[in-house]
Amino acid sequence: MPPPRESHVTTTTGDAGVSAPYGVTNSSSSSPPYHRSNNSSSDSTLDVPIADGEKTSPTDSASSSDTEPEVEPVRVASRRTIPDANHYGPTTEKDPELELERSPSAATTIDFPEGGVTGWLVVFGSFCAMLSLYGLINSAAVFESYFSTHQLKDNSPSEIGWIFSLYLFIVFFVGVQVGPIFDRYGARLIVAVGCLLITLSLLLLSWCTEYYQIILTYSVMGGLGGALLNCPAYGSIAHFFNVRRGFATGIASTAGGIGGVIFPIVLRELLPTIGFNWSSRVLALIMLGLAIPANLFIKTRLPPAKGEKVQSVWPDFSVFKDARFACAALGVFFMEWGLFVPLTYIVSYAVDHGQDATESYLLLSYLNAGSVLGRVLPGILADKIGRFNVIIITIAICLITGLALWLPAGHSNSMLIAYAVLFGFGSGSNIGLVPVCLGQLCDHRKFGRLFSTAMMVASFGTLSSVPIGGALLSGSGWTAVILFSSISYAVALAFYTATRVLAVGWNPLTVF
C-alpha cells in the first residue's frame, strides 16, 4: 500500500468561502437548473508537485482509491493531476473527480484571488489598454468614411478596406509572438512599447495625405502597438480570475464599446471644426493618458509552466490535434469575417442611403453602446450557464439581425438604428468571450501562446474580410456585403456548436 499523500484541502462555504471550480457547484449555494458535464474524453494529465515533494499520477490515484478515505469532490479541491497543455486528445484514464472538474484550470481554482484590490486594478489597467486598441477598431467606420471622401477619394472601397484589414491582421498575427513572451516575462515592457506605438501612429497619421503613408502609420505602426497590448490585456486577467473570469473579462472588454461610443462623437465634433490633422493629435493625447494606468496596473502573478524556461514564439500547431480547439479556432475565423464588415462599412451604408455624413457617425455610437451591454451581461451569464452556451446564443443574434434588419433596412433610419443596437449587443460578447472560451480548452499557464495561436488563424479572417466586403460593394452592391457578413456568422455558429457537441454532447442544458 503506498503511503498516504499530503494534499491541500479547502472546504467550500458558499460565497463567503473559496469558490468551487468552474463546473462544480457548492452544496450550500443555489445553482441554475443545468446539468453539469461529466465528459472527460478530451482531458489529459500533467503531474503537479504536492506538499511533500512527491508526484501523483492517474495510476497512483487509482491504486490508492481503496485505502484512502473518500471525500465528496464537490466540497474538496486538492493539488493533484490537472490537464496538460502539451497534450491534446482523449485520455485512456477516467477519474470521477476529474470528470466533475472538467475545466482545465479548475483544479487550481484555490490559487486564484478572484478579485481583491490588485485583481480589480488589473482589470482597470486592461480596460484602459483595450480602450486604446478596440476603441479605435470600433471607430474604424469613421476613418473609412472620412478617407473615402477626402485623402483617398480616388481609391476604390477595396483598396481603402486594406488599411483596416491590415491593421487587424497585424494585431492578431503578431500576437503569436507576443503570447509566449508574455507568458515567460510578464506584461511590463510589452505594454509600455505597445502604448507608445499606438500614440505615435495617431500623431504621425495627422500629417499623412498619401495611401502608403496611411498604411505605414495607421495600419503597420498602430497594428504593432495593438498586438503588444492585446494579449497582456486579456492574459493578465487570467492570472487573477478563474471562476469569475468571464465577468472580469467582460468588464474590461466594455472598453471597446465605450471607446466606440466616445471616439465617433469626439470626431463628429472635431473634424468639421479643427480638421483631420488636429483631430488625430487629440486622439493621440487621449491614448497617452490611457497609457498611464495601463502601464501601472497590468501585471502577472503566476509562474511560467514548469519545465519550460522560454516557450517557442512560433504557433503551437499541436493544439489543433484537439478537434474541439480546432473547431473553436475556425469559429473565431468566420466570426471575424462577419464582425468587421458592419463595423467598417455601417457609416458608408448610411451615407449611401441618404443620411448626412457627419450625423451618420452617431450610428456607430449606437452600435457600440449596444456592445457595452453585450460585453457585460453575457459575461455574467457565461459564468453561470456556460461560456460556449452564451457565445452560441450571441452569434445567433448577429446572424438574425443581419438578415432581418440590416438587409431590408434601405433608407429606414429607425430600422438601421435598431440593427446597430441589437448587432452591437450580440457582437459585443464576440471578442470578450473568445478568450474565456479558448481558455476553457487549455491550461491557463500556457494561455498566452495557445490563445495567440488561435488568434493567428483569426488574423487571416480579419485580413481578408474588409477587402472582400469592399470588392463586393464595388461589384454587386450592399446586398452582397450584408449576405457575406451574415453567411460568415452562420458558419461561425456551426463551428462553435460543433465544439460544444464534441466537448459535452447534444444536451442543451449542459453547462459548458
Side-chain angles (χ1 to χ4, degrees), residues 193-235:
V193 176
C195 291
L196 178 63
L197 288 177
I198 284 186
T199 302
L200 286 177
S201 70
L202 289 171
L203 184 62
L204 295 175
L205 181 65
S206 65
W207 286 288
C208 294
T209 57
E210 301 292 334
Y211 182 77
Y212 78 91
Q213 295 172 339
I214 296 175
I215 286 284
L216 290 175
T217 56
Y218 183 93
S219 303
V220 177
M221 182 178 288
L224 287 173
L228 293 174
L229 290 181
N230 190 40
C231 183
Y234 281 115

Side-chain angles (χ1 to χ4, degrees), residues 17-67:
V18 179
S19 299
Y22 178 75
V24 181
T25 56
N26 297 338
S27 59
S28 61
S29 60
S30 61
S31 60
Y34 287 85
H35 302 296
R36 301 285 173 177
S37 166
N38 61 358
N39 185 344
S40 61
S41 62
S42 57
D43 285 343
S44 54
T45 59
L46 173 68
D47 289 339
V48 176
I50 56 178
D52 59 3
E54 297 181 20
K55 293 185 178 181
T56 183
S57 65
T59 55
D60 289 337
S61 299
S63 64
S64 62
S65 60
D66 294 333
T67 59

Side-chain angles (χ1 to χ4, degrees), residues 49-316:
I50 56 178
D52 59 3
E54 297 181 20
K55 293 185 178 181
T56 183
S57 65
T59 55
D60 289 337
S61 299
S63 64
S64 62
S65 60
D66 294 333
T67 59
E68 295 181 355
E70 292 184 2
V71 183
E72 185 179 357
V74 171
R75 299 178 60 83
V76 175
S78 62
R79 291 179 182 268
R80 52 182 185 75
T81 53
I82 66 173
D84 179 10
N86 286 320
H87 180 75
Y88 305 92
T91 177
T92 57
E93 300 286 341
K94 285 190 175 182
D95 184 330
E97 291 185 339
L98 281 178
E99 292 179 11
L100 287 173
E101 298 174 355
R102 285 208 77 263
S103 177
S105 57
T108 56
T109 300
I110 57 174
D111 291 331
F112 289 80
E114 299 293 348
V117 174
T118 301
W120 287 112
L121 284 176
V122 168
V123 172
F124 176 64
S126 297
F127 175 92
C128 294
M130 293 185 193
L131 187 56
S132 299
L133 171 58
Y134 291 106
L136 280 181
I137 289 176
N138 291 337
S139 304
V142 175
F143 289 96
E144 189 276 335
S145 178
Y146 190 88
F147 289 155
S148 64
T149 55
H150 292 80
Q151 297 101 313
L152 306 179
K153 60 183 179 182
D154 295 327
N155 295 81
S156 68
S158 182
E159 290 174 335
I160 297 174
W162 279 109
I163 296 172
F164 307 99
S165 63
L166 182 60
Y167 175 90
L168 294 168
F169 173 77
I170 293 174
V171 167
F172 297 126
F173 186 81
V174 175
V176 177
Q177 285 72 44
V178 175
I181 296 173
F182 164 77
D183 285 338
R184 181 62 185 90
Y185 295 107
R188 191 70 66 195
L189 182 60
I190 299 173
V191 172
V193 176
C195 291
L196 178 63
L197 288 177
I198 284 186
T199 302
L200 286 177
S201 70
L202 289 171
L203 184 62
L204 295 175
L205 181 65
S206 65
W207 286 288
C208 294
T209 57
E210 301 292 334
Y211 182 77
Y212 78 91
Q213 295 172 339
I214 296 175
I215 286 284
L216 290 175
T217 56
Y218 183 93
S219 303
V220 177
M221 182 178 288
L224 287 173
L228 293 174
L229 290 181
N230 190 40
C231 183
Y234 281 115
S236 60
I237 295 175
H239 281 243
F240 290 84
F241 294 85
N242 184 37
V243 173
R244 304 177 70 190
R245 189 179 300 169
F247 173 65
T249 304
I251 292 292
S253 64
T254 58
I258 292 173
V261 172
I262 295 174
F263 293 160
I265 293 175
V266 169
L267 292 172
R268 175 176 174 265
E269 298 297 326
L270 295 181
L271 286 173
T273 55
I274 63 176
F276 179 81
N277 295 352
W278 278 104
S279 297
S280 295
R281 292 162 194 163
V282 170
L283 286 181
L285 185 62
I286 293 174
M287 299 304 161
L288 186 61
L290 293 172
I292 297 174
N295 281 274
L296 286 177
F297 300 132
I298 293 179
K299 62 180 67 177
T300 58
R301 56 173 285 273
L302 298 175
K306 183 181 178 182
E308 285 197 30
K309 293 183 178 180
V310 181
Q311 296 184 48
S312 171
V313 297
W314 297 107
D316 184 6

Side-chain angles (χ1 to χ4, degrees), residues 137-138 140-141 339-346 364 367-368 423 427:
I137 289 176
N138 291 337
L339 172 63
F340 289 104
V341 169
L343 285 180
T344 305
Y345 289 113
I346 189 69
L364 195 60
L367 189 153
N368 285 290
F423 175 81
S427 64

Side-chain angles (χ1 to χ4, degrees), residues 366-413:
Y366 295 141
L367 189 153
N368 285 290
S371 77
V372 173
L373 290 177
R375 292 167 193 265
V376 176
L377 297 182
I380 298 173
L381 192 62
D383 289 334
K384 296 181 179 296
I385 69 171
R387 287 85 182 255
F388 275 87
N389 294 344
V390 172
I391 201 170
I392 287 171
I393 293 171
T394 56
I395 289 175
I397 291 174
C398 295
L399 169 62
I400 293 170
T401 54
L403 295 175
L405 294 175
W406 192 17
L407 185 62
H411 290 78
S412 173
N413 188 43

